Amino acid sequence: MDLLRSHLHKVRIPEPTNRIHKDECCVSFDTPRSEGGLYVDMSSFLGFGREHVEWNYEKTGNPVYLHIVQRRKPEADEADRPLKKPTLLAIGVDGGFSDQEPEYDETYEIVILPEFISLPFPSVDLPEKVRLAVDKVILAESADRKQQLAAWVADKKKISAYAMDLQQLDNGVIVPPTGWKCCKCDKTENLWLNLTDGMILCGRKLWDGSGGNNHAIEHYQETKYPLAVKLGTITADLEAADVFSYPEDDSVEDPLLAQHLSHFGIDFSSLQKTEMTTAERELDCNTNYDWNRIQESGKDAELLFGPGYTGLVNLGNSCYMASIMQVMFSTHPFISRYFEKQSLKAAFATAPAEPTLDLNMQMTKLGHGLLSGKYSTPTKEGQEGIRPRMFKTVIAANHSEFSSMRQQDALDFFLHLIDRVEQANPGNHELNPFTGFKFIVEERVQCPSGKVSYNKRSDYMLSLGIPLHEAINKDELEAFNEKKTAMDLDGKEVSTEEIVRPRVPLEACLASFSGPEEIPDFYSTALNSKTTATKTAGFETFPDYLVLHMRKFVMEAGWVPKKLDVYIDVPDTIDISHMRSKGVQPGEEMLPGGASGNNNADPALPVANEDIVSQLASMGFNYLHCQKAAINTSNTGVEEAMNWLLSHMDDPDIDDPISKDSRGSEQSVDESSVQTLVSFGFQEDVAIKALKASGGNIEKATDWIFSNPQASSSASADSSTSNVKADDEDIPDGSGKYKLMAFVSHMGTSTHCGHYVAHVLKDGRWAIFNDSKVAASVDLPKDMGYLYFFQRISG
């Protein structure tokens, strides 16, 4: 006790703003339930496992710790405890998802390092400062718990603005208690009763072909009668009935539902529930993940354990992150950087005072957690896996989407991860594991004059369009579409097993990238007019790891996102050596103002489209200002140039001569916004052009593309520029032969809903990583990938 009193100056009483880490070690995935428990530093409030607490003492000299040990309570009554089905899209709240974890007994003691002298807690003999500090630590919400409390909870249904004064027609309609059928087809399920006129109509057609035939919503569009209730969900518990408001486009509450139902002779007290509500159907998808093939559900798979086979527990909606990180830590650069050549102790020693917020520390922690095998041991449920909460906090810091509990696009996360890792290792290629993913693309544009321009850019992944017209099963598709049309006319549904999807070879997707592409609206500086040019693209360098993104998510006219329901035939090995670019050829003449292809040459002055400039000048604008406006909007049009000019007339440099830096808006385009538009299916040069013309706003850029259809096949003389930087000298290069080593698949209609799963080739066989489940693959869904990862092979 005297020793403890001598260290009282090292004990702090936590303030409400202090982050208290009492659930997990900051350098490993040890918890109070691990062997040895958890030690909380009573000065910094960081938690450490038994193997790591001495590192903290060596680094900080902090000697006083609260030792927390949790032991599982006996399970004798667990078999008798009913499993309650959730009724809310929520985690850890009444009616929501319960992780159904067993209960634990928790014990505490005060430990003084370095001798590990222990003192009991609670104890009246302890100094008051220590008692007060420990009580506050025990009662405080932990930093991890505070993160969890931000978990996704479905919004409580709002009272409809149309409910209180709803019009109901006196048309004599009486609804029977059973035997319902859609008034416009033969559907007898998913039926909705319009509460204004009593019409019974089927619901919306779902993305997979199931559901109804859209008759209820078509009725609303014709009549504007706003509210409908789903038949089969009406019981004595009226609050559970599914009421939908079409103008509010949401499930709502109708406080007068009993009155509205009685208008059509419905006695709700006697009705039985026969249909799932919309929320229950969504819950059913989230709890059961009924996407059988990608997840290999129902397969008698061998569960895998040990180093490299550690699962990642879903933190609410983190499967997009888990799938990418499982693939990354299956590549040599990540294994080397954060596991083989980086010990936990060295990472902690060089970490700042708050290691929970240090990316290098948390990447190393995640790498050791996944690759050591320490947390991948058999349990009754399969394996416990690890919860990457600290990693998610760090990687998502200051990012509005990734810091939320909403589902995200795995491609967006991959690109965000690249940015964060590069920021943490500025200019250091040896410490940046993504160096092996980087490559240079060279684009060549030739106009009818025979003159050419070259453009080079570096990238980390290749985004590929999917040419559906190259499907190899056209006969089967035609037969299926004829059958489906006939069944639709009869009001019948095609079963999931009968659906035929286009099957497109990966080779055709690659050819769509490298093959000749016509540019009908190209402004040629040689001809001084618009013409049709030809663009080709190729790899100047081949990366160690080639990442292919399949553009399955596209935007249809009317700005409606759609997911292509398509199979991609992907071979185990590919050879893209023929896709290597050739560079400037002997005898080729450069377009005036174009680059020579030599990166050491001075960049040429940007060239303005004379048509745009003359039209603006005729309106009375200064000729030089008009040139700058055309250049800064990439010669996209008079309207765009005028908008730029009107908002930049007061720029201090507006009267400066045109220079190689005059293309100021080039630097203003945010790369993540470009990649977001690319993921919608737009070409990268079109995305850049649209963002320039729209001030960087993604929504306006999308609208601009649909308003300028010629933009999808147009380019301008500024394609002769290069964004390959001086620090790209260390980009790897080698053979164009690759083997498939992993792929990430997506289930659902949008990147912002559904589920992601990773398949990885390890130790000569394929394994599926489905959150915390890790198993040998039985039926590899290789043709359903969204992101494919290839590793270079020699020879």
Side-chain angles (χ1 to χ4, degrees):
M1 203 66 72
D2 290 339
L3 181 63
L4 177 60
R5 288 192 180 94
S6 72
H7 291 310
L8 278 182
H9 66 287
K10 287 279 194 176
V11 175
R12 292 171 57 213
I13 297 173
E15 301 289 334
T17 55
N18 289 135
R19 292 163 51 85
I20 297 173
H21 296 278
K22 60 179 182 176
D23 293 337
E24 184 177 282
C25 173
C26 65
V27 297
S28 75
F29 290 92
D30 290 350
T31 71
R33 300 169 193 176
S34 303
E35 189 175 347
L38 196 73
Y39 294 79
V40 179
D41 182 336
M42 292 305 295
S43 179
S44 67
F45 309 118
L46 294 171
F48 297 89
R50 177 61 182 84
E51 293 178 40
H52 317 104
V53 66
E54 289 170 283
W55 301 351
N56 185 59
Y57 175 72
E58 292 171 12
K59 182 176 179 178
T60 66
N62 295 341
V64 183
Y65 296 82
L66 171 62
H67 185 210
I68 308 174
V69 176
Q70 294 178 344
R71 292 285 176 262
R72 190 166 178 167
K73 289 183 177 180
E75 304 176 13
D77 60 341
E78 283 196 4
D80 302 324
R81 190 186 308 156
L83 296 178
K84 194 172 181 182
K85 187 174 179 180
T87 57
L88 268 180
L89 272 177
I91 294 177
V93 299
D94 187 34
F97 288 98
S98 167
D99 45 19
Q100 297 172 351
E101 288 197 353
E103 295 179 353
Y104 288 82
D105 286 317
E106 200 162 54
T107 60
Y108 307 97
E109 63 180 355
I110 307 299
V111 172
I112 305 172
L113 263 61
E115 292 87 2
F116 284 88
I117 296 169
S118 63
L119 301 168
F121 183 89
S123 170
V124 294
D125 297 329
L126 291 170
E128 184 179 1
K129 182 180 182 183
V130 174
R131 293 203 308 269
L132 187 58
V134 172
D135 281 339
K136 289 210 168 188
V137 168
I138 292 172
L139 292 173
E141 289 280 13
S142 71
D144 289 336
R145 178 62 180 163
K146 284 179 180 178
Q147 293 284 336
Q148 284 182 290
L149 290 178
W152 42 283
V153 178
D155 295 330
K156 179 175 172 57
K157 287 194 290 188
K158 297 176 182 175
I159 295 176
S160 172
Y162 302 87
M164 304 310 289
D165 55 358
L166 181 73
Q167 176 193 10
Q168 289 194 288
L169 304 181
D170 291 322
N171 54 10
V173 171
I174 299 295
V175 176
T178 57
W180 306 306
K181 185 175 80 70
C182 176
C183 295
K184 295 189 177 179
C185 68
D186 293 330
K187 290 282 185 187
T188 56
E189 294 179 346
N190 190 23
L191 300 176
W192 294 79
L193 169 71
N194 190 288
L195 290 174
T196 294
D197 62 4
M199 288 279 281
I200 296 173
L201 298 156
C202 61
R204 304 182 196 225
K205 184 180 288 263
L206 302 179
W207 66 275
D208 60 356
S210 63
N213 289 320
N214 293 325
H215 288 141
I217 191 168
E218 288 172 3
H219 184 64
Y220 160 70
Q221 290 165 348
E222 294 167 8
T223 64
K224 300 303 177 186
Y225 297 154
L227 300 183
V229 61
K230 188 173 186 179
L231 295 173
T233 69
I234 306 167
T235 66
D237 179 14
L238 267 187
E239 285 188 8
D242 198 358
V243 180
F244 192 85
S245 169
Y246 292 105
E248 294 164 295
D249 196 26
D250 206 354
S251 294
V252 296
E253 190 177 327
D254 177 4
L256 303 180
L257 184 58
Q259 175 185 320
H260 293 155
L261 291 173
S262 65
H263 180 84
F264 299 110
I266 297 175
D267 176 12
F268 61 86
S269 62
S270 62
L271 293 180
Q272 299 294 314
K273 190 171 189 298
T274 59
E275 288 259 10
M276 284 194 291
T277 66
T278 306
E280 285 172 331
R281 188 175 294 277
E282 189 176 354
L283 269 171
D284 201 45
C285 287
N286 278 283
T287 52
N288 296 325
Y289 291 147
D290 192 19
W291 298 286
N292 294 332
R293 183 155 171 246
I294 291 179
Q295 292 198 125
E296 305 191 41
S297 336
K299 307 293 181 185
D300 190 14
E302 172 196 356
L303 297 179
L304 300 177
F305 306 94
Y309 297 102
T310 306
L312 286 169
V313 176
N314 197 314
L315 303 179
N317 242 338
S318 59
C319 55
Y320 67 91
M321 179 180 75
S323 58
I324 292 295
M325 297 317 298
Q326 290 287 11
V327 173
M328 291 300 98
F329 278 105
S330 300
T331 65
H332 295 313
F334 272 77
I335 295 171
S336 173
R337 168 68 175 88
Y338 297 110
F339 183 67
E340 294 175 344
K341 294 182 179 178
Q342 178 76 86
S343 70
L344 282 172
K345 186 172 184 179
F348 176 65
T350 57
E354 180 60 283
T356 65
L357 300 179
D358 180 57
L359 181 62
N360 178 53
M361 177 71 253
Q362 295 309 314
M363 287 284 276
T364 304
K365 171 181 171 176
L366 182 61
H368 282 256
L370 290 173
L371 301 173
S372 66
K374 180 179 179 180
Y375 306 99
S376 179
T377 54
T379 65
K380 282 198 307 183
E381 295 80 18
Q383 66 162 276
E384 187 173 333
I386 56 180
R387 289 172 168 79
R389 288 189 287 247
M390 288 185 189
F391 172 74
K392 186 175 188 292
T393 299
V394 172
I395 201 69
N398 302 319
H399 193 288
S400 59
E401 285 300 321
F402 295 131
S403 58
S404 75
M405 300 302 286
R406 295 184 289 272
Q407 182 61 278
Q408 306 298 330
D409 183 357
L411 171 65
D412 287 348
F413 179 76
F414 175 67
L415 297 172
H416 175 71
L417 180 69
I418 293 171
D419 288 341
R420 289 301 313 276
V421 170
E422 281 199 327
Q423 290 167 14
N425 304 279
N428 194 328
H429 297 281
E430 291 184 3
L431 292 181
N432 184 356
F434 280 114
T435 298
F437 290 73
K438 202 170 188 179
F439 57 91
I440 297 175
V441 169
E442 182 178 77
E443 293 178 341
R444 178 183 182 274
V445 177
Q446 180 173 336
C447 84
S449 69
K451 296 180 180 180
V452 299
S453 66
Y454 284 86
N455 172 48
K456 294 181 183 179
R457 58 180 171 83
S458 59
D459 215 330
Y460 290 93
M461 64 92 194
L462 194 63
S463 186
L464 297 176
I466 303 174
L468 296 178
H469 63 279
E470 297 282 357
I472 57 176
N473 58 338
K474 291 177 182 174
D475 292 343
E476 295 94 323
L477 277 170
E478 190 176 335
F480 167 72
N481 289 330
E482 289 177 1
K483 177 181 178 181
K484 187 174 184 303
T485 301
M487 292 181 72
D488 285 345
L489 290 173
D490 293 339
K492 298 177 182 177
E493 285 186 12
V494 177
S495 67
T496 305
E497 293 75 22
E498 292 177 289
I499 294 175
V500 177
R501 296 172 175 84
R503 186 171 289 278
V504 178
L506 179 63
E507 184 181 347
C509 301
L510 289 166
S512 71
F513 161 76
S514 61
E517 175 188 349
E518 280 199 348
I519 307 174
D521 226 6
F522 178 80
Y523 181 78
S524 168
T525 53
L527 304 175
N528 207 23
S529 65
K530 288 186 179 180
T531 183
T532 298
T534 303
K535 184 178 84 170
T536 54
F539 288 85
E540 184 173 280
T541 63
F542 289 126
D544 297 335
Y545 288 86
L546 176 66
V547 183
L548 301 180
H549 161 235
M550 312 311 298
R551 292 186 205 160
K552 289 191 171 182
F553 299 97
V554 297
M555 296 290 268
E556 293 191 313
W559 202 14
V560 179
K562 174 189 175 184
K563 181 180 179 182
L564 299 179
D565 196 8
V566 60
Y567 290 138
I568 308 295
D569 269 349
V570 179
D572 293 329
T573 61
I574 60 173
D575 186 350
I576 58 171
S577 302
H578 62 284
M579 294 174 67
R580 187 181 286 277
S581 61
K582 296 181 174 62
V584 180
Q585 297 298 295
E588 282 187 333
E589 285 188 65
M590 296 298 111
L591 280 164
S596 65
N598 182 346
N599 285 337
N600 298 321
D602 288 334
L605 295 183
V607 179
N609 182 325
E610 188 57 38
D611 291 342
I612 296 172
V613 174
S614 59
Q615 287 187 59
L616 287 176
S618 68
M619 300 176 194
F621 292 111
N622 177 286
Y623 190 83
L624 174 64
H625 299 176
C626 298
Q627 286 181 304
K628 287 193 171 186
I631 289 167
N632 278 286
T633 53
S634 298
N635 295 318
T636 46
V638 174
E639 184 180 351
E640 290 80 9
M642 182 186 293
N643 290 337
W644 184 93
L645 187 55
L646 293 173
S647 60
H648 289 81
M649 290 184 71
D650 297 326
D651 287 1
D653 61 349
I654 190 67
D655 291 314
D656 291 351
I658 293 174
S659 68
K660 61 189 178 187
D661 297 321
S662 291
R663 197 184 291 107
S665 60
E666 186 86 32
Q667 282 73 40
S668 67
V669 177
D670 179 58
E671 182 61 27
S672 63
S673 298
V674 174
Q675 293 304 330
T676 298
L677 289 176
V678 167
S679 71
F680 287 159
F682 302 128
Q683 297 171 16
E684 184 168 351
D685 56 345
V686 175
I688 293 171
K689 193 179 300 182
L691 287 165
K692 287 178 187 174
S694 309
N697 184 289
I698 291 178
E699 289 78 9
K700 289 181 180 177
T702 308
D703 192 46
W704 183 91
I705 293 173
F706 285 125
S707 302
N708 295 270
Q710 77 282 358
S712 62
S713 57
S714 68
S716 62
D718 69 352
S719 65
S720 62
T721 61
S722 170
N723 74 348
V724 177
K725 305 168 189 172
D727 63 353
D728 287 337
E729 294 172 357
D730 292 311
I731 291 179
D733 192 16
S735 161
K737 295 180 180 178
Y738 293 89
K739 69 173 180 180
L740 182 66
M741 55 81 60
F743 59 95
V744 171
S745 307
H746 172 266
M747 295 150 282
T749 55
S750 159
T751 53
H752 300 293
C753 68
H755 187 56
Y756 287 96
V757 166
H759 284 79
V760 183
L761 182 62
K762 285 197 174 190
D763 304 322
R765 64 174 173 179
W766 284 93
I768 178 173
F769 291 82
N770 185 1
D771 289 334
S772 55
K773 173 188 171 184
V774 183
S777 177
V778 178
D779 180 18
L780 189 68
K782 194 170 57 169
D783 48 9
M784 301 180 77
Y786 174 52
L787 298 172
Y788 290 96
F789 298 81
F790 289 85
Q791 180 180 357
R792 193 204 321 276
I793 53 179
S794 57

